[in-house]
């Protein structure tokens, strides 16, 4: 169970991460925070590059930090933008790899109280996953 106060803590951490966004090209700053089943939180910001496709979204920075620290199960993800911007398809797919149908995704505004809350199953319906592959994942 992810409690409201967990979500409020994630929002505060994602807002702080957003301040570290490196987005000189789009000028669109994004902050993210993911909560792992272990109880630990990992944050990320978008990091752009002069070679545009080499940049990465805030959500994937946070998710990859979590997985690289040994996490495999993520229960919630918060994304903070100026305007409640929605996570891109690639970030939904990457989150989906480590999240079950009931995992929570919250979009929050950088300032004020605007929020949108989704479950994994609604933000990426009929998602492609390990069960669609012929071979079972080995690790
Ligand atoms: N961006 C994110 O960080 N997350 C998303 O889900 C959508 C887009 C970033 C990528 C780029 O640095 C900027 O926002 C504009 O697309």
């Amino acid at each position: 169970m992810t409690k409201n106060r967990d979500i409020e803590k994630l929002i505060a951490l994602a807002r702080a991460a957003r301040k570290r966004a490196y987005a000189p090209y789009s000028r669109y700053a994004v902050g993210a925070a993911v909560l792992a089943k272990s109880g630990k939180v990992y944050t990320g910001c978008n990091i752009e590059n002069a070679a545009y496709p080499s940049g990465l979204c805030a959500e994937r920075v946070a998710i990859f930090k979590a997985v690289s620290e040994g996490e495999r199960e993520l229960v919630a993800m918060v994304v903070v933008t100026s305007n409640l911007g929605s996570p891109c398809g690639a970030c939904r797919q990457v989150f989906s790899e480590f999240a079950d149908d009931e995992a929570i995704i919250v979009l929050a505004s950088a300032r004020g109280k605007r929020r949108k809350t989704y479950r994994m199953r609604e933000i990426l319906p009929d998602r492609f996953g390990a069960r669609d592959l012929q071979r079972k994942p080995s690790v």
Side-chain angles (χ1 to χ4, degrees), residues 26 28 30 46 48 57-59 86-88 91:
S26 71
Y28 187 71
V30 185
N46 53 330
E48 298 184 348
C57 292
E59 298 91 318
S86 196
C88 79
C91 289

Side-chain angles (χ1 to χ4, degrees), residues 96-118:
S96 141
E97 181 77 17
F98 305 104
D100 72 17
D101 277 348
E102 303 309 315
I104 293 169
I105 297 100
V106 177
L107 315 185
S109 52
R111 274 169 287 278
K113 291 254 171 245
R114 282 187 299 150
R115 315 258 193 272
K116 279 184 186 170
T117 303
Y118 302 93

Side-chain angles (χ1 to χ4, degrees), residues 6 19 31 38 40 43 54 57-58 69 81 84 98 102 108 139:
D6 294 334
K19 296 200 173 116
S38 66
K40 288 191 190 157
T43 61
S54 303
C57 292
E69 294 298 320
T81 59
L84 245 50
F98 305 104
E102 303 309 315
V139 276

Side-chain angles (χ1 to χ4, degrees), residues 3 5-6 10 20 26 28 31 37 40 65 80 86-87 89 92 94 96 107 109 117 127 130:
K3 300 179 188 69
R5 67 169 183 277
D6 294 334
L10 290 176
R20 299 188 287 272
S26 71
Y28 187 71
K37 209 171 187 178
K40 288 191 190 157
K65 279 171 69 178
V80 170
S86 196
R92 293 176 195 213
V94 170
S96 141
L107 315 185
S109 52
T117 303
R127 58 197 166 121

